[in-house]
Amino acid sequence: MPQHYWVETLGCPKNQVDSDKLVGTLVADGLAPAASASEADLVVVNTCAFIEAARQESIDTVLALADARRDGARLVVTGCLAERYGDELADVLPEADLVAGFGVPVTLGSKPAVPSFDLLNLSRPAATAPWAYVKVAEGCDRVCGFCAIPSFRGKQRSRPLDVVLAEVDALGAQEIVLVAQDLASYGSDLGQRGAIVPLVGAVAARVPRVRLLYLYPSSLTDGLIDVIGATGVPYFDLSLQHVSRPLVQRMRRWGDGTRFLERISSIRSRYPDAAFRSSFIVGYPGETENDHDQLLAFVEEAQLDWAGFFAFSPEDGTYAMELDGQVDTSLVRERMRELGELQDGITAARRDALVGSRYEVLVDAPGVARGHREAPEIDGVVMVPESLEVGSFATVTITGAAGPDLEAA
Ligand code: SF4
């Protein structure tokens, strides 16, 4: 009888890729998937440490799975939380048999140590959905004031192009979603600035759809815009974080609202169907009423298809921890509510405007599909007739909109 595993993944798409690789390793070691966590011999929790709420969710999940596991099952905690708080975490989580960050060899299966620092290059199983994430680099060379990621994920390490392409081929997916902490900087650590452009071109030559997540705005060059446009998936996920210049500078980032609007409008003039997503931090230390008003005005003017607003979370070891001008929690909540309501209205109106149009979609599951405007797991979906085959492309007519989702016939 093979041993069975259960892998629970928290956090972002980059973590999902790591989990896929863990699963690939476990399967290669002879383990089989369990039907539920309570039936597994080995339970792995791949944690997230991005902000306080994510850390709490990770710990709650570990405790819940510690309770749910059957007698004798091993519980391993890995991922960002384990990497960042290693020994400390092991002390507060005696329930875990092992707390293992990325740099620690982990014995997960029957074989000896798995060199987990090589997660980036471990093989992974073929995709089970018509789409799959591919992580092209790990770590980040930037110094954004609020972000602890470089402190525990390290400097950027890009994977060689041929290795990325081999993974794309092996996954056999119709849509590849490229991810990295700072995707547009792919290759700069290999002395290949701008390597993201040929990478996108090469992936697009292999699969019908390529999508890019997390583009730092200053890296959005004309060459990158052109290659994204040429893929037929004009989807631009711009990591903007704020638009008030003094606040953006305090975040130790590039740009301001005027530049962002220029970029967005120039992309729209070339690709009228372009879809935009962004995320913003609310309540960064020193954020004034005027900064907030600028962000509201930007959101109104930019008419992004999708936007996420996140409350600033002070992270140990970051530049922002030392800054004065903390914003009161109730004020942050109020600003988030205002921004969220404004964006919800914009998203709904943009979805309504699609009613009556023809739209090419990829069918992800029976009755559920996505066009170029919808990133998997992040944006809305398109409800389609169940008769459409999973994994196929179809051109449908949008018949209705319900919040972020569309209905089609
Ligand atoms: S670009 Fe900035 S926010 Fe993104 S991972 Fe790097 S330091 Fe963090």
Side-chain angles (χ1 to χ4, degrees), residues 274-292:
F276 291 88
R277 160 170 278 285
S278 190
S279 57
F280 300 93
I281 291 179
V282 181
Y284 189 79
E287 185 186 56
T288 63
E289 211 47 39
N290 182 272
D291 295 329
H292 173 61

Side-chain angles (χ1 to χ4, degrees), residues 140 142-144 146-147 149-150 181-182 216 253:
C140 182
R142 298 196 192 269
V143 290
C144 302
F146 50 81
C147 183
I149 288 174
Q181 261 84 32
D182 180 12
Y216 191 89
R253 290 176 60 90

Side-chain angles (χ1 to χ4, degrees), residues 192-275:
Q192 300 163 7
R193 275 178 75 83
I196 184 69
V197 174
L199 170 73
V200 173
V203 177
R206 292 171 140 76
V207 292
R209 254 196 204 170
V210 190
R211 190 185 297 276
L212 286 75
L213 294 187
Y214 320 120
L215 298 172
Y216 191 89
S218 63
S219 310
L220 195 62
T221 59
D222 286 344
L224 183 54
I225 293 169
D226 285 342
V227 78
I228 293 174
T231 66
V233 184
Y235 180 93
F236 294 87
D237 176 22
L238 309 178
S239 164
L240 300 182
Q241 309 308 339
H242 214 286
V243 299
S244 157
R245 192 171 175 74
L247 200 67
V248 170
Q249 282 175 342
R250 227 166 128 84
M251 288 179 169
R252 305 208 290 185
R253 290 176 60 90
W254 176 92
D256 57 39
T258 308
R259 288 181 190 206
F260 300 156
L261 286 171
E262 277 167 13
R263 213 69 186 133
I264 290 167
S265 115
S266 117
I267 294 171
R268 280 201 176 116
S269 66
R270 283 149 79 184
Y271 303 101
D273 273 354

Side-chain angles (χ1 to χ4, degrees), residues 59-103:
I59 288 178
D60 290 348
T61 304
V62 171
L63 295 176
L65 289 173
D67 276 351
R69 71 177 147 166
R70 61 167 190 69
D71 280 353
R74 293 174 65 215
L75 178 64
V76 175
V77 180
T78 185
C80 291
L81 197 65
E83 177 68 20
R84 197 164 166 195
Y85 297 104
D87 291 346
E88 219 179 301
L89 189 67
D91 287 346
V92 297
L93 282 178
E95 295 82 357
D97 296 290
L98 180 64
V99 173
F102 309 113

